[in-house]
């Protein structure tokens, strides 16, 4: 029996291991971490004859080497053991590639980009499903791609991209709608969607990809291998490349027909999304922009790309209009949590870099009370800082980046910030400042990764939601004043009622 080794005991890794087992492989799964939850998973998988090794990494020594290594999305592609494996001729692929090999008889939509891909993916899936197509969202959103592959012919499953209770009939999939990160593209050699979508491109993940050129080339690989291509023509980087790099693509623009890079594409005119499928075809209005509930020009860009994808897949206008009208948005991306005494609390925890946080702040009413900070990433913060100066009445800084962000704010002449360190301190302080400055919005838009304080941005956003709802419901902390810091006021919040 051929031996396969899966690295990473997350959702993707478990699904990959089960899929390989079903295909007849002898499967071993490893994870460097160990916890009670992982131990429970270890026992569960052992009952399925899948060996799980916790607290250790794959070692390539001895005669019993695997013939295949499958890597979970969060595992760097260039760690020594994977470099060694490829040198030894051991086939090494990502979980997304494994899913593709099992589902390539189906048409795929592959959505990538620095920002905007989750909202665009969710909206595309909603439109396809409104057209009564069986088209689950997977990858970085909803199911792991291998879960979708595993479920083929296995009846319906209960948990989907839309949350608990969602079902889809996995025995007759029509499309696969996959949000594909650079990590997943990097480890997928043959993934070739019917339709590829590129939402935005700005510097991100450079600690992993090293150079902007390398990061671009990884993203571009998915689009080059796609039969049809949809691009955000309003993105500064992508639009510069334009037709010289992507002559056959469908381009989009929120600014109208005159700003369309190609003679074919999708644009906004007179409040409508308009389609122009060829250089000679007549423009056709598809859906009203006002049907979309989400705020911000960036969400109009997402709408254009989703509608373009749906039309290229042959979906009619009625299904598109229905889905757009009912689309609730995406958790942790400009998600309205509650309104307390006229102040809206908005969760933008998914804004994990400066560009996304700049868009988040630009999208809300001003003046706003901004909560920012976490584990800082490399990148250009200039435009984000300018947006703060324009729209933020005050900034509350949390996490390990707080001191560095405070320094940057001082450098640009912005002094209305407070280092509060934790989300628990930020919520009551934000409510107090919103009253003081008559600010209509409290916005969590961190411009940072979450790993200094939380396992991921979802847990960070969930904590924000919990604290906001508790505050709105009448929970109030006691306050203990701490000494004034340079250009900053800091408070320690002691929980109480």
């Amino acid at each position: 029996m051929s031996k396969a080794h899966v690295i990473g005991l997350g959702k993707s890794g478990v699904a990959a291991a089960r899929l390989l087992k079903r295909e007849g492989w002898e499967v071993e799964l490893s994870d460097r971490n160990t916890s009670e939850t992982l131990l429970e998973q270890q026992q569960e998988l052992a009952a399925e004859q899948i060996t799980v090794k916790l607290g250790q990494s794959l070692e390539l020594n001895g005669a019993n080497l695997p013939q295949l290594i499958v890597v979970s999305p969060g595992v760097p592609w260039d760690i020594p053991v994977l470099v060694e494996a490829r040198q030894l001729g051991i086939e090494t692929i990502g979980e997304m590639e494994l899913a593709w090999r099992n589902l390539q008889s189906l048409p795929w939509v592959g959505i990538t980009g620095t920002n905007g891909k989750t909202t665009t993916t969710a909206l595309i899936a909603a439109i396809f499903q409104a057209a009564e197509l069986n088209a689950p969202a997977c990858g970085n959103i909803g199911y792991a791609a291998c879960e979708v592959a595993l479920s083929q012919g296995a009846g319906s499953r209960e948990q989907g991209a839309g949350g608990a209770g969602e079902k889809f009939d996995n025995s007759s999939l029509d499309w696969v709608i996959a949000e594909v990160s650079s990590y997943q593209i990097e480890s997928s050699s043959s993934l070739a969607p019917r339709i590829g979508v590129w939402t935005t491109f700005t510097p991100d993940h450079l600690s992993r990809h090293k150079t902007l050129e390398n990061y671009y080339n990884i993203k571009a690989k998915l689009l080059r291998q796609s039969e049809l291509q949809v691009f955000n023509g309003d993105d500064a980087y992508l639009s510069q490349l334009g037709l010289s790099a992507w002559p056959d693509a469908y381009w989009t623009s929120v600014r109208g027909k005159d700003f369309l890079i190609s003679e074919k594409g999708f644009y906004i005119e007179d409040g409508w999304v308009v389609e122009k499928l060829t250089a000679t075809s007549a423009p056709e209005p598809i859906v009203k922009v006002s049907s979309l509930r989400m705020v911000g020009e960036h969400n109009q860009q997402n709408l254009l790309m989703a509608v373009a994808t749906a039309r290229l897949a042959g979906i009619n206008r009625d299904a598109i209009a229905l889905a757009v009208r009912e689309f609730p948005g995406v958790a942790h991306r400009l998600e309205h949590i509650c309104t307390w005494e006229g102040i809206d609390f908005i969760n933008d925890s998914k804004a994990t870099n400066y560009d996304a946080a700049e868009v988040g702040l630009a999208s809300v009413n001003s003046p706003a009370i901004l909560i920012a900070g976490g584990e800082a990433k490399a990148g250009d913060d200039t435009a984000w800082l300018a947006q703060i100066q324009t729209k933020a009445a005050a900034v509350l800084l949390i996490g390990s980046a707080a001191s560095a962000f405070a320094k940057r704010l001082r450098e640009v002449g912005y002094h209305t910030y407070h280092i509060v360190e934790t989300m628990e301190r930020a919520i009551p302080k934000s409510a107090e400042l919103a009253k003081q400055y008559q600010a209509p919005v409290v916005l969590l838009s961190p411009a940072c990764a979450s790993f200094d304080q939380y396992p991921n941005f979802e847990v960070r956003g969930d904590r924000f939601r919990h604290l906001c709802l508790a505050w709105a419901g009448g929970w109030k902390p006691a306050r203990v004043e701490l000494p004034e810091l340079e250009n900053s006021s800091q408070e320690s919040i002691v929980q109480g009622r």
Side-chain angles (χ1 to χ4, degrees), residues 133-211:
L133 293 168
N134 189 359
C138 67
N140 265 13
I141 180 176
Y143 297 91
C146 278
E147 282 186 292
V148 177
L150 192 63
S151 67
Q152 277 284 71
S156 65
R157 289 167 64 90
E158 295 294 320
Q159 186 77 26
E166 179 186 325
K167 296 181 182 180
F168 65 82
D169 177 7
N170 301 290
S171 61
S172 56
L173 290 172
D174 298 306
W175 284 77
V176 177
I177 313 297
E179 179 186 329
V180 194
S181 71
S182 56
Y183 300 176
Q184 290 163 317
I185 299 169
E186 194 175 32
S187 59
S188 298
S189 58
S190 66
L191 174 61
R194 175 76 57 82
I195 304 171
V197 182
W198 196 337
T199 61
T200 56
F201 184 74
T202 53
D204 198 10
H205 306 301
L206 296 186
S207 59
R208 172 154 168 169
H209 298 314
K210 311 306 180 194
T211 68

Side-chain angles (χ1 to χ4, degrees), residues 3 51 84 98 142 181 188 219 241 301 306 315 379-380 396 491:
K3 182 178 178 182
T51 302
E84 182 186 357
L98 179 64
S181 71
S188 298
K219 294 278 192 192
L241 297 170
Q301 293 167 345
I315 293 174
D380 184 357
L396 300 177
E491 294 178 342

Side-chain angles (χ1 to χ4, degrees), residues 198-201 216 231-246 251-253 255 259-262:
W198 196 337
T199 61
T200 56
F201 184 74
Y216 173 85
F231 279 82
N232 174 7
D234 295 320
D235 180 82
Y237 195 99
L238 297 177
S239 63
Q240 270 190 333
L241 297 170
L243 295 177
S244 60
W246 305 99
W251 293 84
T252 64
S253 180
R255 295 180 290 172
F259 291 89
L260 209 57
I261 289 171
S262 171

Side-chain angles (χ1 to χ4, degrees), residues 340-355:
W340 172 78
E341 297 190 12
I343 302 160
D344 291 327
F345 287 76
I346 296 177
N347 169 23
D348 198 33
S349 182
K350 199 174 190 306
T352 59
N353 56 49
Y354 297 120
D355 298 292

